[in-house]
Amino acid sequence: MNAQTLLQKLLARTGFQQRHAETLRGLEPLMAPLAPEIALAFYDYLGRDPEMHEILWGTPGRVERLYRSFAAWYREIFSGVYDAAYATRRVRIGLVHARVGVRPEHVLPAAGIVQELTLEHLRQALRGGEVFLAIESFEKIMAVEMALMEESYLQALAEGLKFTQEVREAAMVGAQVLLESS
């Protein structure tokens, strides 16, 4: 399934509508400045796991590049634009994760940190009814985000199993094949 088709299915499944996109776009000035702080918390959480620590800090300069990439990813959540290019970027993120050995079991719990910090900020910064639509919109787009990345990991795994039956290696190999073919 291509990224755009998958995105459309996920948006429909979550009930994500134009009002959610508009709400997220309106939140961008409030939320984008938090990107570096949330990136720091995200990678701090991941770095406590020995396997992830090795992946993140085992290559000089990697984690510093990831902080910047994460901040761009986070800001884009609040862009209000969720189109084919957006879906393609998200699938690519999942494939890059798979290529270096990051699995959904690492990313999904860490995404909880992103949600926790974002929701806390929304609750503190907004008042009345606006907070409910903001939280609903953010939770919907995060569900889409995680599903896109997880699906890309599964695609990498399926592709890699053509070459090896070792699951970790298969995801890495499959991701490399898919990244090279895109």
PDB file of all heavy atoms in Angstrom, residues 86-100:
ATOM      1  N   TYR A  86       3.660  14.495   3.182  1.00  0.00           N
ATOM      2  CA  TYR A  86       3.702  14.258   4.623  1.00  0.00           C
ATOM      3  C   TYR A  86       3.767  12.750   4.897  1.00  0.00           C
ATOM      4  O   TYR A  86       4.601  12.277   5.660  1.00  0.00           O
ATOM      5  CB  TYR A  86       2.467  14.893   5.270  1.00  0.00           C
ATOM      6  CG  TYR A  86       2.151  14.417   6.663  1.00  0.00           C
ATOM      7  CD1 TYR A  86       2.724  15.020   7.773  1.00  0.00           C
ATOM      8  CD2 TYR A  86       1.256  13.367   6.870  1.00  0.00           C
ATOM      9  CE1 TYR A  86       2.422  14.592   9.051  1.00  0.00           C
ATOM     10  CE2 TYR A  86       0.950  12.938   8.148  1.00  0.00           C
ATOM     11  CZ  TYR A  86       1.535  13.545   9.229  1.00  0.00           C
ATOM     12  OH  TYR A  86       1.239  13.104  10.492  1.00  0.00           O
ATOM     13  N   ALA A  87       2.871  11.997   4.257  1.00  0.00           N
ATOM     14  CA  ALA A  87       2.824  10.544   4.468  1.00  0.00           C
ATOM     15  C   ALA A  87       4.139   9.896   4.045  1.00  0.00           C
ATOM     16  O   ALA A  87       4.656   9.019   4.744  1.00  0.00           O
ATOM     17  CB  ALA A  87       1.652   9.945   3.698  1.00  0.00           C
ATOM     18  N   THR A  88       4.684  10.330   2.937  1.00  0.00           N
ATOM     19  CA  THR A  88       5.948   9.773   2.449  1.00  0.00           C
ATOM     20  C   THR A  88       7.079  10.036   3.432  1.00  0.00           C
ATOM     21  O   THR A  88       7.900   9.153   3.708  1.00  0.00           O
ATOM     22  CB  THR A  88       6.280  10.338   1.059  1.00  0.00           C
ATOM     23  OG1 THR A  88       5.217   9.977   0.160  1.00  0.00           O
ATOM     24  CG2 THR A  88       7.601   9.819   0.533  1.00  0.00           C
ATOM     25  N   ARG A  89       7.112  11.257   3.990  1.00  0.00           N
ATOM     26  CA  ARG A  89       8.155  11.566   4.988  1.00  0.00           C
ATOM     27  C   ARG A  89       8.008  10.681   6.216  1.00  0.00           C
ATOM     28  O   ARG A  89       9.000  10.210   6.776  1.00  0.00           O
ATOM     29  CB  ARG A  89       8.085  13.046   5.384  1.00  0.00           C
ATOM     30  CG  ARG A  89       8.664  13.984   4.338  1.00  0.00           C
ATOM     31  CD  ARG A  89       8.772  15.409   4.843  1.00  0.00           C
ATOM     32  NE  ARG A  89       7.501  16.010   5.195  1.00  0.00           N
ATOM     33  CZ  ARG A  89       6.665  16.598   4.339  1.00  0.00           C
ATOM     34  NH1 ARG A  89       6.968  16.651   3.049  1.00  0.00           N
ATOM     35  NH2 ARG A  89       5.538  17.155   4.777  1.00  0.00           N
ATOM     36  N   ARG A  90       6.782  10.449   6.658  1.00  0.00           N
ATOM     37  CA  ARG A  90       6.564   9.633   7.848  1.00  0.00           C
ATOM     38  C   ARG A  90       6.949   8.175   7.603  1.00  0.00           C
ATOM     39  O   ARG A  90       7.550   7.529   8.462  1.00  0.00           O
ATOM     40  CB  ARG A  90       5.109   9.715   8.311  1.00  0.00           C
ATOM     41  CG  ARG A  90       4.700  11.083   8.837  1.00  0.00           C
ATOM     42  CD  ARG A  90       5.833  11.694   9.649  1.00  0.00           C
ATOM     43  NE  ARG A  90       5.412  12.790  10.483  1.00  0.00           N
ATOM     44  CZ  ARG A  90       5.760  14.049  10.268  1.00  0.00           C
ATOM     45  NH1 ARG A  90       6.473  14.386   9.233  1.00  0.00           N
ATOM     46  NH2 ARG A  90       5.362  14.992  11.110  1.00  0.00           N
ATOM     47  N   VAL A  91       6.622   7.656   6.448  1.00  0.00           N
ATOM     48  CA  VAL A  91       7.010   6.278   6.114  1.00  0.00           C
ATOM     49  C   VAL A  91       8.530   6.187   6.057  1.00  0.00           C
ATOM     50  O   VAL A  91       9.122   5.233   6.565  1.00  0.00           O
ATOM     51  CB  VAL A  91       6.346   5.824   4.797  1.00  0.00           C
ATOM     52  CG1 VAL A  91       6.973   4.538   4.277  1.00  0.00           C
ATOM     53  CG2 VAL A  91       4.837   5.638   5.004  1.00  0.00           C
ATOM     54  N   ARG A  92       9.151   7.185   5.495  1.00  0.00           N
ATOM     55  CA  ARG A  92      10.616   7.191   5.421  1.00  0.00           C
ATOM     56  C   ARG A  92      11.234   7.184   6.826  1.00  0.00           C
ATOM     57  O   ARG A  92      12.219   6.496   7.071  1.00  0.00           O
ATOM     58  CB  ARG A  92      11.103   8.398   4.623  1.00  0.00           C
ATOM     59  CG  ARG A  92      12.597   8.441   4.476  1.00  0.00           C
ATOM     60  CD  ARG A  92      13.039   9.506   3.493  1.00  0.00           C
ATOM     61  NE  ARG A  92      14.470   9.565   3.413  1.00  0.00           N
ATOM     62  CZ  ARG A  92      15.255   8.691   2.795  1.00  0.00           C
ATOM     63  NH1 ARG A  92      14.713   7.667   2.174  1.00  0.00           N
ATOM     64  NH2 ARG A  92      16.566   8.825   2.790  1.00  0.00           N
ATOM     65  N   ILE A  93      10.658   7.949   7.732  1.00  0.00           N
ATOM     66  CA  ILE A  93      11.148   7.947   9.115  1.00  0.00           C
ATOM     67  C   ILE A  93      11.103   6.533   9.686  1.00  0.00           C
ATOM     68  O   ILE A  93      12.066   6.071  10.297  1.00  0.00           O
ATOM     69  CB  ILE A  93      10.325   8.915  10.000  1.00  0.00           C
ATOM     70  CG1 ILE A  93      10.614  10.360   9.629  1.00  0.00           C
ATOM     71  CG2 ILE A  93      10.615   8.675  11.485  1.00  0.00           C
ATOM     72  CD1 ILE A  93       9.664  11.371  10.258  1.00  0.00           C
ATOM     73  N   GLY A  94       9.997   5.850   9.476  1.00  0.00           N
ATOM     74  CA  GLY A  94       9.876   4.479   9.965  1.00  0.00           C
ATOM     75  C   GLY A  94      10.904   3.553   9.341  1.00  0.00           C
ATOM     76  O   GLY A  94      11.487   2.695  10.017  1.00  0.00           O
ATOM     77  N   LEU A  95      11.161   3.724   8.044  1.00  0.00           N
ATOM     78  CA  LEU A  95      12.154   2.888   7.358  1.00  0.00           C
ATOM     79  C   LEU A  95      13.567   3.173   7.868  1.00  0.00           C
ATOM     80  O   LEU A  95      14.359   2.245   8.053  1.00  0.00           O
ATOM     81  CB  LEU A  95      12.076   3.097   5.844  1.00  0.00           C
ATOM     82  CG  LEU A  95      10.817   2.581   5.165  1.00  0.00           C
ATOM     83  CD1 LEU A  95      10.818   2.960   3.687  1.00  0.00           C
ATOM     84  CD2 LEU A  95      10.668   1.072   5.348  1.00  0.00           C
ATOM     85  N   VAL A  96      13.862   4.432   8.102  1.00  0.00           N
ATOM     86  CA  VAL A  96      15.185   4.777   8.640  1.00  0.00           C
ATOM     87  C   VAL A  96      15.348   4.178  10.038  1.00  0.00           C
ATOM     88  O   VAL A  96      16.405   3.627  10.366  1.00  0.00           O
ATOM     89  CB  VAL A  96      15.410   6.304   8.628  1.00  0.00           C
ATOM     90  CG1 VAL A  96      16.665   6.681   9.410  1.00  0.00           C
ATOM     91  CG2 VAL A  96      15.498   6.809   7.189  1.00  0.00           C
ATOM     92  N   HIS A  97      14.289   4.257  10.834  1.00  0.00           N
ATOM     93  CA  HIS A  97      14.338   3.611  12.157  1.00  0.00           C
ATOM     94  C   HIS A  97      14.666   2.130  12.006  1.00  0.00           C
ATOM     95  O   HIS A  97      15.552   1.606  12.682  1.00  0.00           O
ATOM     96  CB  HIS A  97      12.996   3.744  12.878  1.00  0.00           C
ATOM     97  CG  HIS A  97      12.731   5.100  13.434  1.00  0.00           C
ATOM     98  ND1 HIS A  97      11.478   5.490  13.816  1.00  0.00           N
ATOM     99  CD2 HIS A  97      13.536   6.149  13.680  1.00  0.00           C
ATOM    100  CE1 HIS A  97      11.531   6.719  14.276  1.00  0.00           C
ATOM    101  NE2 HIS A  97      12.767   7.150  14.204  1.00  0.00           N
ATOM    102  N   ALA A  98      13.931   1.455  11.140  1.00  0.00           N
ATOM    103  CA  ALA A  98      14.135   0.012  10.952  1.00  0.00           C
ATOM    104  C   ALA A  98      15.547  -0.284  10.456  1.00  0.00           C
ATOM    105  O   ALA A  98      16.178  -1.248  10.904  1.00  0.00           O
ATOM    106  CB  ALA A  98      13.100  -0.541   9.975  1.00  0.00           C
ATOM    107  N   ARG A  99      16.051   0.540   9.546  1.00  0.00           N
ATOM    108  CA  ARG A  99      17.385   0.306   8.977  1.00  0.00           C
ATOM    109  C   ARG A  99      18.482   0.323  10.035  1.00  0.00           C
ATOM    110  O   ARG A  99      19.457  -0.422   9.944  1.00  0.00           O
ATOM    111  CB  ARG A  99      17.689   1.341   7.891  1.00  0.00           C
ATOM    112  CG  ARG A  99      19.030   1.084   7.210  1.00  0.00           C
ATOM    113  CD  ARG A  99      19.354   2.120   6.182  1.00  0.00           C
ATOM    114  NE  ARG A  99      19.583   3.381   6.862  1.00  0.00           N
ATOM    115  CZ  ARG A  99      19.549   4.569   6.273  1.00  0.00           C
ATOM    116  NH1 ARG A  99      19.275   4.657   4.987  1.00  0.00           N
ATOM    117  NH2 ARG A  99      19.779   5.659   6.959  1.00  0.00           N
ATOM    118  N   VAL A 100      18.325   1.161  11.062  1.00  0.00           N
ATOM    119  CA  VAL A 100      19.374   1.246  12.091  1.00  0.00           C
ATOM    120  C   VAL A 100      19.078   0.366  13.297  1.00  0.00           C
ATOM    121  O   VAL A 100      19.832   0.379  14.275  1.00  0.00           O
ATOM    122  CB  VAL A 100      19.645   2.703  12.532  1.00  0.00           C
ATOM    123  CG1 VAL A 100      20.143   3.532  11.356  1.00  0.00           C
ATOM    124  CG2 VAL A 100      18.435   3.321  13.191  1.00  0.00           C
TER     125      VAL A 100
END
